[in-house]
């Protein structure tokens, strides 16, 4: 569950349209930091290079 950013009523986190006020939620203005794609990309860039040697030395790939 999450709160609608327009009317603050509780709605399903999968909802694309608020059932209380009828606003569409596709732009997600109230997303927390870990829900933003940018944060996921940054997290991947931080962890990704660490995982590269594991892929590089994988016996089935190399
Ligand atoms: Zn609403």
């Amino acid at each position: 569950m999450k709160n609608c950013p327009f009317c603050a009523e509780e709605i399903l986190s999968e909802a694309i349209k608020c059932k209380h006020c009828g606003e569409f939620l596709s732009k997600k203005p109230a997303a927390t930091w870990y829900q933003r794609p940018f944060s996921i990309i940054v997290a991947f860039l931080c962890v990704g290079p660490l995982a590269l040697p594991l892929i590089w030395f994988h016996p089935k790939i190399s």
Side-chain angles (χ1 to χ4, degrees):
M1 300 292 275
K2 65 179 180 181
N3 291 327
C4 173
F6 301 101
C7 67
E9 288 287 343
E10 206 170 56
I11 52 171
L12 292 172
S13 44
E14 293 84 17
I16 55 169
K17 185 183 177 185
C18 177
K19 65 181 178 181
H20 301 283
C21 67
E23 289 282 352
F24 283 93
L25 306 162
S26 54
K27 289 182 180 178
K28 296 180 182 175
T32 49
W33 68 270
Y34 57 84
Q35 291 173 322
R36 291 175 194 157
F38 178 75
S39 299
I40 295 167
I41 291 165
V42 170
F44 179 79
L45 289 172
C46 291
V47 179
L50 298 172
L52 267 178
L54 296 173
I55 298 166
W56 191 261
F57 293 111
H58 196 281
K60 285 182 181 176
I61 296 171
S62 63

